[in-house]
Amino acid sequence: MVRMDVTNKESPLMNAIEVDHLVKKFGDLTAVNDISFTVAEREIFGLLGPNGAGKTTLIRMMTTLTPPTSGTARIDGHDIRTDANGVRHALGVIPQAFTSDPELTAKENMLIHAKLYGVPSETRISLINQLLESVDLMKFRDALVGTFSGGMRRRLEIARGLVHAPKILFLDEPTTGLDPVSRANVWEMIRNLRDKSGLTILLTTHYMDEADKLCDRIAIVDHGKLAALDTPARLKDSVPGTDAVEAEFDHAPDNWHEQLKGLAEAEAVTQHDNVTHIASSNGSSTVAALMDLARARGVTVRKVSVQSTTLDDVFLHYTGRELRDAAGGSMTYDVSRFYR
Amino acid sequence: MNFERTWALIERDMRKFFRSPALMMSTMIFPLVQLIVLGYAFGGKIKGAKIAFVDQDRSVESRQIREMFDGIAAGPATFRIVDYDSAPHAIDDLRAGFVRGVVEVPRDFSRRFYQHDRPRIAFSEDNTDQVMASSLLQSLQDMVTAINTAPVQPRLDDQVELNVVEVYPYIEYAKYLLAGSTAMAIFIVAMIGGGITFIDDKSRGLHEGYLLTPIKKTELVMGMIGAGAVKGLMAGMAIVLIGGMIVGIPGLWNPVRLLYLCLVVLIASVAMISLMFLAMVRVSDPLVPRAVFGVLNMLLFFPSGAISPIEGFPKWLRWMSVVDPFTYTVHALRNLTIKNTGIEGIYSDVLLLSGFSVVMIVSCIALFKRQL
């Protein structure tokens, strides 16, 4: 059932990222469990999963911040185990938490990073100005970063991540905590980076819409494992039914689910908490049949809705739970900090 | 090693340091306050201590003693004499703290004086305050020695005299304390830069940003220690110069002396920042450096001889002073500030502090984790 097209066979381009059976264990806990995939050059690749799914640990291994327990990855041909410096030069990384210094100005933050990456002094200032211009922060170049909004700071960090002209950009939950306008700005910036600069971009997110709108391919990660990997369209196609009917009932008989499976156009019926999900090839016909059946059996329909298949349905289909449940219900923490 | 990367970290810290006047002031205020308050509170000569005088003899000889007390009260002013009629009343007031000592001339003093029968004066001291008691006792013993001195010297003097030669002019305690206060300023910078700021930057994720770059751990450690050392040099020299002017160190602006002072302060800064960095290299909790600040201050400052001579310490405390970088900092700075020595007075301390720094830095590099 798991859809797993781990290589981008459609693209004639070279692989920018090759992840090869990566495993990370913290004591008895396996945070990343044998994950493999490849990302082609100029691709926007998304790692989708709830908090605690292992996305950040995976990114940290790929960016040489955390050593893998086993397996390896090659970033622009540089192995994370044997050529960490090559990996660091090839990558621009925007971590989940803000890492720009709030007591320095935007320009100073950029300048210090440019020096750490060994950007030649003769091109440093013009490059920094160019990058700040591109993220619309030129007029704030001499303002302290501590005075920036979350969106401005994220844009600065994206610019800072590009200061050494990397081939690949990693963004760990780039829009978490941002308002809708800032999120839209960041999305546009990411698209522009790929379209205009030809960068390969790998981002992690737990926002379905973000993954859907931005990514060429999505890997669904849950409990440290790769649950599915494909384009958003093909992942949605892989879920039975084109529409999703959600309903809540009172006074339902014991065999109610069995009866629902016989509804017109219904393809699959599942239950999560008190909500019944019906995958249907024609949502409106299924709802009409459902109402008739409920009336005939004396079942009260408390709530019913129809929507086209979303990545939420994809996540539900492949992991057996909704993303919001996975994020909130299990209350998983980034346990890696306890083992540092 | 790429020095540009190391310098980038030093530059970052310098920009932050100069942008935060409150941080700069806080590194200097405590050592200056310590120098002024502690320096002038301790080590001064006792003046105006109230002494009860009980004359039960009321003779010519007892009045002579009373006059000698008046002489001291009018001169060095160590005492202020208060006459009492009754010895028990005077003792009650001594116990209550109204007077610091009781001098009693007994009823038979003049008789014994003329009979050459060991005439005696009683001195009751409040020995709960050892400093005051020993100071008063010294003054009284000087006075009794003066009484005992024969008015006419024998032709052949068979008494041995001790002639004291003071190598330096009188040194006030504040001058003596200046070296300790300077070391304290360096320690505060080390504690803030090598402890608190380092851990805070770690917990705020700023270090993750540096670890993602190609910087090597040697460059990272050297950059952080270098930044702390430059800040320590600035704070230390500020205290030497401001404190030196306050307490009145003569010839402070002599260029050679300033050069030696810079050398000692810089080496001491490297030693202390690297010690602090080593102590915090694996710490992640921002509360830890704040919690250990007082303990480290106590362990490093007091055993160093900054406020009292090491020779007065018990053996175990002397051993602590041997391994304490403060000890050599204080010794070298004291030689330069109050003894005005040249390189001969500081080279052994500089060598020891340099060796200590090398061991600390190598250990820091070995223990520093390049990964999260």
Side-chain angles (χ1 to χ4, degrees), chain B residues 182-195:
Chain B
T182 306
M184 175 63 80
I186 299 169
F187 171 73
I188 291 173
V189 169
M191 197 64 226
I192 293 173

Side-chain angles (χ1 to χ4, degrees), chain A residues 153-217:
Chain A
R153 207 161 163 192
R154 184 62 78 199
R155 277 167 18 225
L156 170 69
E157 300 206 349
I158 291 175
R160 197 186 62 173
L162 298 168
V163 80
H164 58 295
K167 293 181 180 171
I168 301 162
L169 193 63
F170 278 21
L171 299 111
D172 193 2
E173 308 213 350
T175 60
T176 298
L178 300 188
D179 60 74
V181 176
S182 301
R183 283 182 75 195
N185 286 340
V186 171
W187 289 356
E188 191 187 338
M189 199 182 299
I190 291 170
R191 280 193 208 100
N192 282 342
L193 282 171
R194 193 270 300 273
D195 297 342
K196 293 180 182 168
S197 310
L199 282 173
T200 304
I201 295 169
L202 183 145
L203 61 89
T204 71
T205 184
H206 57 258
Y207 296 127
M208 294 292 177
D209 54 342
E210 186 164 286
D212 201 359
K213 286 174 184 162
L214 271 180
C215 299
D216 299 320
R217 287 192 305 148

Side-chain angles (χ1 to χ4, degrees), chain A residues 65 101 103 108 115 124, chain B residues 4 11 16 19 372:
Chain A
L65 282 178
D101 201 319
E103 285 112 31
E108 287 166 349
K115 288 180 180 180
R124 248 179 239 153
Chain B
E4 190 175 33
E11 182 189 336
K16 290 169 73 164
R19 199 161 279 150
L372 293 176

Side-chain angles (χ1 to χ4, degrees), chain A residues 276-314:
Chain A
T276 304
H277 300 260
I278 307 167
S280 164
S281 52
N282 186 332
S284 51
S285 301
T286 304
V287 169
L290 169 69
M291 299 308 286
D292 289 344
L293 182 67
R295 202 175 300 116
R297 299 286 185 271
V299 174
T300 309
V301 180
R302 273 202 287 128
K303 192 174 159 189
V304 66
S305 65
V306 185
Q307 58 181 2
S308 301
T309 305
T310 64
L311 280 179
D312 221 341
D313 303 311
V314 175

Side-chain angles (χ1 to χ4, degrees), chain B residues 244-302:
Chain B
M245 286 190 287
I246 291 171
V247 301
I249 300 289
L252 190 62
W253 299 97
N254 179 304
V256 178
R257 195 186 202 185
L258 281 178
L259 188 70
Y260 289 148
L261 282 167
C262 282
L263 175 69
V264 171
V265 172
L266 180 64
I267 299 288
S269 301
V270 174
M272 285 191 212
I273 194 93
S274 53
L275 168 69
M276 210 55 62
F277 198 70
L278 180 63
M280 299 296 156
V281 72
R282 290 287 179 104
V283 173
S284 300
D285 187 343
L287 289 176
V288 172
R290 290 164 172 86
V292 299
F293 183 88
V295 178
L296 281 175
N297 182 18
M298 191 68 77
L299 284 174
L300 295 172
F301 183 68
F302 289 96

Side-chain angles (χ1 to χ4, degrees), chain B residues 38-54:
Chain B
L38 205 63
Y40 289 102
F42 284 174
K45 290 185 174 175
I46 287 175
K47 288 190 186 300
K50 273 169 85 175
I51 299 291
F53 189 83
V54 187

Side-chain angles (χ1 to χ4, degrees), chain B residues 307-360:
Chain B
I307 57 170
S308 60
I310 292 168
E311 288 75 8
F313 296 166
K315 205 170 180 180
W316 62 269
L317 198 53
R318 286 191 196 199
W319 276 110
M320 280 182 70
S321 73
V322 170
V323 294
D324 180 2
F326 256 72
T327 305
Y328 308 101
T329 307
V330 167
H331 183 256
L333 287 174
R334 196 167 278 157
N335 276 358
L336 289 173
T337 50
I338 58 178
K339 296 184 179 176
N340 197 14
T341 63
I343 192 76
E344 71 280 1
I346 60 168
Y347 79 92
S348 59
D349 298 307
V350 168
L351 284 176
L352 276 162
L353 286 170
S354 303
F356 180 86
S357 303
V358 169
V359 172
M360 292 295 110

Side-chain angles (χ1 to χ4, degrees), chain A residues 60 63-67 85 88-89 93 95 98-105 108 111-113 115-118 124 144 153 160 340, chain B residues 2 4-9 11-13 15-16 19 201 204-216 284 369-372:
Chain A
R60 282 183 171 172
T63 54
T64 74
L65 282 178
T66 303
N85 250 9
R88 290 171 194 141
H89 276 290
V93 184
F98 290 126
T99 58
S100 51
D101 201 319
E103 285 112 31
L104 296 179
T105 66
E108 287 166 349
L111 196 61
I112 282 163
H113 255 67
K115 288 180 180 180
L116 292 177
Y117 275 107
R124 248 179 239 153
L144 289 179
R153 207 161 163 192
R160 197 186 62 173
R340 278 175 206 158
Chain B
N2 183 329
E4 190 175 33
R5 290 192 197 128
T6 300
W7 183 249
L9 292 181
E11 182 189 336
R12 175 198 85 125
D13 265 30
R15 286 178 189 273
K16 290 169 73 164
R19 199 161 279 150
D201 281 359
R204 287 193 296 171
L206 302 191
H207 273 253
E208 189 175 333
Y210 302 128
L211 297 178
L212 289 164
T213 72
I215 194 166
K216 294 183 171 69
S284 300
K369 284 174 81 177
R370 179 64 181 74
Q371 292 170 315
L372 293 176

